[in-house]
PDB file of all heavy atoms in Angstrom:
ATOM      1  N   ARG D 258     -90.805  20.262  70.488  1.00  0.00           N
ATOM      2  CA  ARG D 258     -91.459  21.555  70.727  1.00  0.00           C
ATOM      3  C   ARG D 258     -90.782  22.301  71.877  1.00  0.00           C
ATOM      4  O   ARG D 258     -90.617  23.520  71.823  1.00  0.00           O
ATOM      5  CB  ARG D 258     -92.945  21.338  71.024  1.00  0.00           C
ATOM      6  CG  ARG D 258     -93.759  20.970  69.779  1.00  0.00           C
ATOM      7  CD  ARG D 258     -95.135  20.471  70.138  1.00  0.00           C
ATOM      8  NE  ARG D 258     -95.924  20.228  68.918  1.00  0.00           N
ATOM      9  CZ  ARG D 258     -97.009  19.468  68.878  1.00  0.00           C
ATOM     10  NH1 ARG D 258     -97.437  18.873  70.000  1.00  0.00           N
ATOM     11  NH2 ARG D 258     -97.667  19.297  67.757  1.00  0.00           N
ATOM     12  N   LEU D 259     -90.386  21.564  72.905  1.00  0.00           N
ATOM     13  CA  LEU D 259     -89.692  22.199  74.013  1.00  0.00           C
ATOM     14  C   LEU D 259     -88.262  22.575  73.646  1.00  0.00           C
ATOM     15  O   LEU D 259     -87.721  23.556  74.168  1.00  0.00           O
ATOM     16  CB  LEU D 259     -89.701  21.281  75.234  1.00  0.00           C
ATOM     17  CG  LEU D 259     -91.063  21.116  75.906  1.00  0.00           C
ATOM     18  CD1 LEU D 259     -90.975  20.106  77.042  1.00  0.00           C
ATOM     19  CD2 LEU D 259     -91.581  22.448  76.426  1.00  0.00           C
ATOM     20  N   LEU D 260     -87.658  21.813  72.743  1.00  0.00           N
ATOM     21  CA  LEU D 260     -86.326  22.168  72.282  1.00  0.00           C
ATOM     22  C   LEU D 260     -86.355  23.499  71.542  1.00  0.00           C
ATOM     23  O   LEU D 260     -85.423  24.301  71.667  1.00  0.00           O
ATOM     24  CB  LEU D 260     -85.762  21.066  71.379  1.00  0.00           C
ATOM     25  CG  LEU D 260     -84.352  21.299  70.829  1.00  0.00           C
ATOM     26  CD1 LEU D 260     -83.351  21.531  71.967  1.00  0.00           C
ATOM     27  CD2 LEU D 260     -83.923  20.120  69.964  1.00  0.00           C
ATOM     28  N   MET D 261     -87.406  23.752  70.788  1.00  0.00           N
ATOM     29  CA  MET D 261     -87.547  25.034  70.106  1.00  0.00           C
ATOM     30  C   MET D 261     -87.556  26.177  71.116  1.00  0.00           C
ATOM     31  O   MET D 261     -87.101  27.290  70.820  1.00  0.00           O
ATOM     32  CB  MET D 261     -88.844  25.040  69.283  1.00  0.00           C
ATOM     33  CG  MET D 261     -89.059  26.309  68.479  1.00  0.00           C
ATOM     34  SD  MET D 261     -87.795  26.540  67.211  1.00  0.00           S
ATOM     35  CE  MET D 261     -88.304  28.127  66.526  1.00  0.00           C
ATOM     36  N   LYS D 262     -88.036  25.897  72.329  1.00  0.00           N
ATOM     37  CA  LYS D 262     -88.061  26.904  73.395  1.00  0.00           C
ATOM     38  C   LYS D 262     -86.801  26.848  74.261  1.00  0.00           C
ATOM     39  O   LYS D 262     -86.715  27.537  75.276  1.00  0.00           O
ATOM     40  CB  LYS D 262     -89.291  26.688  74.278  1.00  0.00           C
ATOM     41  CG  LYS D 262     -90.613  26.836  73.540  1.00  0.00           C
ATOM     42  CD  LYS D 262     -91.781  26.557  74.472  1.00  0.00           C
ATOM     43  CE  LYS D 262     -93.118  26.691  73.756  1.00  0.00           C
ATOM     44  NZ  LYS D 262     -94.267  26.402  74.651  1.00  0.00           N
ATOM     45  N   SER D 263     -85.837  26.011  73.859  1.00  0.00           N
ATOM     46  CA  SER D 263     -84.576  25.865  74.581  1.00  0.00           C
ATOM     47  C   SER D 263     -84.787  25.392  76.017  1.00  0.00           C
ATOM     48  O   SER D 263     -84.145  25.885  76.952  1.00  0.00           O
ATOM     49  CB  SER D 263     -83.792  27.191  74.583  1.00  0.00           C
ATOM     50  OG  SER D 263     -82.464  26.990  74.996  1.00  0.00           O
ATOM     51  N   ASN D 264     -85.666  24.412  76.195  1.00  0.00           N
ATOM     52  CA  ASN D 264     -85.939  23.884  77.525  1.00  0.00           C
ATOM     53  C   ASN D 264     -84.677  23.247  78.122  1.00  0.00           C
ATOM     54  O   ASN D 264     -84.123  22.306  77.547  1.00  0.00           O
ATOM     55  CB  ASN D 264     -87.059  22.850  77.445  1.00  0.00           C
ATOM     56  CG  ASN D 264     -87.499  22.360  78.797  1.00  0.00           C
ATOM     57  OD1 ASN D 264     -86.759  21.653  79.469  1.00  0.00           O
ATOM     58  ND2 ASN D 264     -88.706  22.718  79.194  1.00  0.00           N
ATOM     59  N   PRO D 265     -84.206  23.731  79.267  1.00  0.00           N
ATOM     60  CA  PRO D 265     -82.950  23.231  79.841  1.00  0.00           C
ATOM     61  C   PRO D 265     -82.962  21.753  80.221  1.00  0.00           C
ATOM     62  O   PRO D 265     -81.906  21.119  80.247  1.00  0.00           O
ATOM     63  CB  PRO D 265     -82.757  24.110  81.088  1.00  0.00           C
ATOM     64  CG  PRO D 265     -83.527  25.356  80.796  1.00  0.00           C
ATOM     65  CD  PRO D 265     -84.734  24.884  80.028  1.00  0.00           C
ATOM     66  N   THR D 266     -84.127  21.213  80.513  1.00  0.00           N
ATOM     67  CA  THR D 266     -84.197  19.796  80.882  1.00  0.00           C
ATOM     68  C   THR D 266     -83.651  18.902  79.777  1.00  0.00           C
ATOM     69  O   THR D 266     -82.991  17.891  80.049  1.00  0.00           O
ATOM     70  CB  THR D 266     -85.653  19.411  81.204  1.00  0.00           C
ATOM     71  OG1 THR D 266     -86.112  20.179  82.312  1.00  0.00           O
ATOM     72  CG2 THR D 266     -85.774  17.930  81.522  1.00  0.00           C
ATOM     73  N   ILE D 267     -83.907  19.266  78.531  1.00  0.00           N
ATOM     74  CA  ILE D 267     -83.447  18.449  77.400  1.00  0.00           C
ATOM     75  C   ILE D 267     -81.926  18.383  77.370  1.00  0.00           C
ATOM     76  O   ILE D 267     -81.331  17.319  77.147  1.00  0.00           O
ATOM     77  CB  ILE D 267     -83.996  19.014  76.081  1.00  0.00           C
ATOM     78  CG1 ILE D 267     -85.522  18.971  76.089  1.00  0.00           C
ATOM     79  CG2 ILE D 267     -83.438  18.240  74.889  1.00  0.00           C
ATOM     80  CD1 ILE D 267     -86.172  19.699  74.937  1.00  0.00           C
ATOM     81  N   PHE D 268     -81.277  19.508  77.601  1.00  0.00           N
ATOM     82  CA  PHE D 268     -79.817  19.533  77.589  1.00  0.00           C
ATOM     83  C   PHE D 268     -79.247  18.723  78.756  1.00  0.00           C
ATOM     84  O   PHE D 268     -78.193  18.093  78.616  1.00  0.00           O
ATOM     85  CB  PHE D 268     -79.334  20.987  77.647  1.00  0.00           C
ATOM     86  CG  PHE D 268     -79.749  21.803  76.464  1.00  0.00           C
ATOM     87  CD1 PHE D 268     -80.880  22.612  76.516  1.00  0.00           C
ATOM     88  CD2 PHE D 268     -79.039  21.756  75.278  1.00  0.00           C
ATOM     89  CE1 PHE D 268     -81.288  23.362  75.421  1.00  0.00           C
ATOM     90  CE2 PHE D 268     -79.425  22.511  74.169  1.00  0.00           C
ATOM     91  CZ  PHE D 268     -80.549  23.313  74.240  1.00  0.00           C
ATOM     92  N   GLU D 269     -79.938  18.725  79.874  1.00  0.00           N
ATOM     93  CA  GLU D 269     -79.485  17.919  81.014  1.00  0.00           C
ATOM     94  C   GLU D 269     -79.598  16.430  80.694  1.00  0.00           C
ATOM     95  O   GLU D 269     -78.673  15.656  80.965  1.00  0.00           O
ATOM     96  CB  GLU D 269     -80.295  18.259  82.260  1.00  0.00           C
ATOM     97  CG  GLU D 269     -79.990  19.636  82.835  1.00  0.00           C
ATOM     98  CD  GLU D 269     -80.476  19.781  84.275  1.00  0.00           C
ATOM     99  OE1 GLU D 269     -81.103  18.831  84.787  1.00  0.00           O
ATOM    100  OE2 GLU D 269     -80.216  20.836  84.865  1.00  0.00           O
ATOM    101  N   TRP D 270     -80.736  16.022  80.149  1.00  0.00           N
ATOM    102  CA  TRP D 270     -80.887  14.613  79.791  1.00  0.00           C
ATOM    103  C   TRP D 270     -79.794  14.181  78.821  1.00  0.00           C
ATOM    104  O   TRP D 270     -79.199  13.110  78.972  1.00  0.00           O
ATOM    105  CB  TRP D 270     -82.256  14.367  79.157  1.00  0.00           C
ATOM    106  CG  TRP D 270     -83.413  14.464  80.089  1.00  0.00           C
ATOM    107  CD1 TRP D 270     -83.381  14.814  81.414  1.00  0.00           C
ATOM    108  CD2 TRP D 270     -84.783  14.210  79.781  1.00  0.00           C
ATOM    109  NE1 TRP D 270     -84.657  14.801  81.937  1.00  0.00           N
ATOM    110  CE2 TRP D 270     -85.541  14.438  80.966  1.00  0.00           C
ATOM    111  CE3 TRP D 270     -85.456  13.837  78.632  1.00  0.00           C
ATOM    112  CZ2 TRP D 270     -86.927  14.282  81.009  1.00  0.00           C
ATOM    113  CZ3 TRP D 270     -86.841  13.682  78.666  1.00  0.00           C
ATOM    114  CH2 TRP D 270     -87.567  13.900  79.843  1.00  0.00           C
ATOM    115  N   ALA D 271     -79.554  14.996  77.812  1.00  0.00           N
ATOM    116  CA  ALA D 271     -78.580  14.640  76.785  1.00  0.00           C
ATOM    117  C   ALA D 271     -77.164  14.519  77.336  1.00  0.00           C
ATOM    118  O   ALA D 271     -76.330  13.809  76.769  1.00  0.00           O
ATOM    119  CB  ALA D 271     -78.611  15.666  75.655  1.00  0.00           C
ATOM    120  N   ASP D 272     -76.896  15.196  78.457  1.00  0.00           N
ATOM    121  CA  ASP D 272     -75.558  15.194  79.044  1.00  0.00           C
ATOM    122  C   ASP D 272     -75.418  14.167  80.175  1.00  0.00           C
ATOM    123  O   ASP D 272     -74.359  14.068  80.784  1.00  0.00           O
ATOM    124  CB  ASP D 272     -75.232  16.598  79.585  1.00  0.00           C
ATOM    125  CG  ASP D 272     -73.787  16.741  80.009  1.00  0.00           C
ATOM    126  OD1 ASP D 272     -72.891  16.472  79.185  1.00  0.00           O
ATOM    127  OD2 ASP D 272     -73.545  17.105  81.178  1.00  0.00           O
ATOM    128  N   SER D 273     -76.445  13.402  80.444  1.00  0.00           N
ATOM    129  CA  SER D 273     -76.394  12.455  81.559  1.00  0.00           C
ATOM    130  C   SER D 273     -75.246  11.454  81.382  1.00  0.00           C
ATOM    131  O   SER D 273     -75.066  10.886  80.301  1.00  0.00           O
ATOM    132  CB  SER D 273     -77.713  11.690  81.672  1.00  0.00           C
ATOM    133  OG  SER D 273     -77.622  10.711  82.694  1.00  0.00           O
ATOM    134  N   PRO D 274     -74.483  11.207  82.436  1.00  0.00           N
ATOM    135  CA  PRO D 274     -73.404  10.218  82.349  1.00  0.00           C
ATOM    136  C   PRO D 274     -73.900   8.779  82.476  1.00  0.00           C
ATOM    137  O   PRO D 274     -73.136   7.839  82.273  1.00  0.00           O
ATOM    138  CB  PRO D 274     -72.514  10.586  83.546  1.00  0.00           C
ATOM    139  CG  PRO D 274     -73.462  11.169  84.542  1.00  0.00           C
ATOM    140  CD  PRO D 274     -74.499  11.906  83.740  1.00  0.00           C
ATOM    141  N   ILE D 275     -75.189   8.620  82.816  1.00  0.00           N
ATOM    142  CA  ILE D 275     -75.764   7.281  82.974  1.00  0.00           C
ATOM    143  C   ILE D 275     -76.843   7.102  81.910  1.00  0.00           C
ATOM    144  O   ILE D 275     -77.946   7.643  82.030  1.00  0.00           O
ATOM    145  CB  ILE D 275     -76.362   7.081  84.373  1.00  0.00           C
ATOM    146  CG1 ILE D 275     -75.307   7.368  85.452  1.00  0.00           C
ATOM    147  CG2 ILE D 275     -76.904   5.659  84.531  1.00  0.00           C
ATOM    148  CD1 ILE D 275     -75.842   7.329  86.870  1.00  0.00           C
ATOM    149  N   VAL D 276     -76.517   6.373  80.868  1.00  0.00           N
ATOM    150  CA  VAL D 276     -77.425   6.173  79.745  1.00  0.00           C
ATOM    151  C   VAL D 276     -77.865   4.715  79.716  1.00  0.00           C
ATOM    152  O   VAL D 276     -77.027   3.803  79.689  1.00  0.00           O
ATOM    153  CB  VAL D 276     -76.753   6.557  78.412  1.00  0.00           C
ATOM    154  CG1 VAL D 276     -77.663   6.251  77.227  1.00  0.00           C
ATOM    155  CG2 VAL D 276     -76.373   8.038  78.416  1.00  0.00           C
ATOM    156  N   TYR D 277     -79.176   4.480  79.712  1.00  0.00           N
ATOM    157  CA  TYR D 277     -79.715   3.126  79.700  1.00  0.00           C
ATOM    158  C   TYR D 277     -80.030   2.637  78.291  1.00  0.00           C
ATOM    159  O   TYR D 277     -80.052   1.439  78.045  1.00  0.00           O
ATOM    160  CB  TYR D 277     -80.982   3.065  80.557  1.00  0.00           C
ATOM    161  CG  TYR D 277     -80.742   3.413  82.002  1.00  0.00           C
ATOM    162  CD1 TYR D 277     -81.299   4.561  82.570  1.00  0.00           C
ATOM    163  CD2 TYR D 277     -79.947   2.600  82.813  1.00  0.00           C
ATOM    164  CE1 TYR D 277     -81.077   4.882  83.907  1.00  0.00           C
ATOM    165  CE2 TYR D 277     -79.714   2.911  84.144  1.00  0.00           C
ATOM    166  CZ  TYR D 277     -80.284   4.060  84.680  1.00  0.00           C
ATOM    167  OH  TYR D 277     -80.052   4.389  85.991  1.00  0.00           O
ATOM    168  N   ARG D 278     -80.280   3.589  77.394  1.00  0.00           N
ATOM    169  CA  ARG D 278     -80.541   3.219  76.002  1.00  0.00           C
ATOM    170  C   ARG D 278     -80.281   4.428  75.114  1.00  0.00           C
ATOM    171  O   ARG D 278     -80.664   5.543  75.457  1.00  0.00           O
ATOM    172  CB  ARG D 278     -81.976   2.727  75.805  1.00  0.00           C
ATOM    173  CG  ARG D 278     -82.261   2.262  74.380  1.00  0.00           C
ATOM    174  CD  ARG D 278     -83.629   1.614  74.267  1.00  0.00           C
ATOM    175  NE  ARG D 278     -83.774   0.454  75.149  1.00  0.00           N
ATOM    176  CZ  ARG D 278     -84.850  -0.319  75.188  1.00  0.00           C
ATOM    177  NH1 ARG D 278     -85.884  -0.034  74.409  1.00  0.00           N
ATOM    178  NH2 ARG D 278     -84.916  -1.358  76.005  1.00  0.00           N
ATOM    179  N   GLU D 279     -79.630   4.196  73.980  1.00  0.00           N
ATOM    180  CA  GLU D 279     -79.387   5.274  73.017  1.00  0.00           C
ATOM    181  C   GLU D 279     -79.364   4.681  71.615  1.00  0.00           C
ATOM    182  O   GLU D 279     -78.524   3.832  71.304  1.00  0.00           O
ATOM    183  CB  GLU D 279     -78.073   6.001  73.309  1.00  0.00           C
ATOM    184  CG  GLU D 279     -77.820   7.177  72.388  1.00  0.00           C
ATOM    185  CD  GLU D 279     -76.701   8.086  72.875  1.00  0.00           C
ATOM    186  OE1 GLU D 279     -76.076   7.757  73.900  1.00  0.00           O
ATOM    187  OE2 GLU D 279     -76.465   9.124  72.232  1.00  0.00           O
ATOM    188  N   THR D 280     -80.284   5.113  70.766  1.00  0.00           N
ATOM    189  CA  THR D 280     -80.385   4.616  69.405  1.00  0.00           C
ATOM    190  C   THR D 280     -79.679   5.557  68.440  1.00  0.00           C
ATOM    191  O   THR D 280     -79.351   6.701  68.770  1.00  0.00           O
ATOM    192  CB  THR D 280     -81.858   4.492  68.987  1.00  0.00           C
ATOM    193  OG1 THR D 280     -82.433   5.809  68.929  1.00  0.00           O
ATOM    194  CG2 THR D 280     -82.637   3.634  69.974  1.00  0.00           C
ATOM    195  N   SER D 281     -79.495   5.091  67.219  1.00  0.00           N
ATOM    196  CA  SER D 281     -78.874   5.938  66.192  1.00  0.00           C
ATOM    197  C   SER D 281     -79.774   7.126  65.862  1.00  0.00           C
ATOM    198  O   SER D 281     -79.285   8.194  65.470  1.00  0.00           O
ATOM    199  CB  SER D 281     -78.600   5.110  64.938  1.00  0.00           C
ATOM    200  OG  SER D 281     -79.805   4.533  64.434  1.00  0.00           O
ATOM    201  N   ASP D 282     -81.086   6.983  66.031  1.00  0.00           N
ATOM    202  CA  ASP D 282     -81.995   8.100  65.759  1.00  0.00           C
ATOM    203  C   ASP D 282     -81.808   9.238  66.764  1.00  0.00           C
ATOM    204  O   ASP D 282     -82.047  10.409  66.435  1.00  0.00           O
ATOM    205  CB  ASP D 282     -83.454   7.628  65.786  1.00  0.00           C
ATOM    206  CG  ASP D 282     -83.851   6.911  64.508  1.00  0.00           C
ATOM    207  OD1 ASP D 282     -83.304   7.250  63.448  1.00  0.00           O
ATOM    208  OD2 ASP D 282     -84.702   6.007  64.576  1.00  0.00           O
ATOM    209  N   TRP D 283     -81.412   8.907  67.980  1.00  0.00           N
ATOM    210  CA  TRP D 283     -81.171   9.970  68.960  1.00  0.00           C
ATOM    211  C   TRP D 283     -80.022  10.875  68.513  1.00  0.00           C
ATOM    212  O   TRP D 283     -79.986  12.059  68.832  1.00  0.00           O
ATOM    213  CB  TRP D 283     -80.880   9.369  70.330  1.00  0.00           C
ATOM    214  CG  TRP D 283     -80.579  10.408  71.368  1.00  0.00           C
ATOM    215  CD1 TRP D 283     -79.365  10.688  71.938  1.00  0.00           C
ATOM    216  CD2 TRP D 283     -81.508  11.329  71.953  1.00  0.00           C
ATOM    217  NE1 TRP D 283     -79.473  11.716  72.837  1.00  0.00           N
ATOM    218  CE2 TRP D 283     -80.785  12.133  72.870  1.00  0.00           C
ATOM    219  CE3 TRP D 283     -82.875  11.552  71.799  1.00  0.00           C
ATOM    220  CZ2 TRP D 283     -81.375  13.145  73.618  1.00  0.00           C
ATOM    221  CZ3 TRP D 283     -83.477  12.558  72.554  1.00  0.00           C
ATOM    222  CH2 TRP D 283     -82.733  13.342  73.447  1.00  0.00           C
TER     223      TRP D 283
END
């Protein structure tokens, strides 16, 4: 729902250089 509003936090999380878990669904 926040992505539909282009929430900048989502783009920051997705670009993080430190990833602790990432599934194929992501």
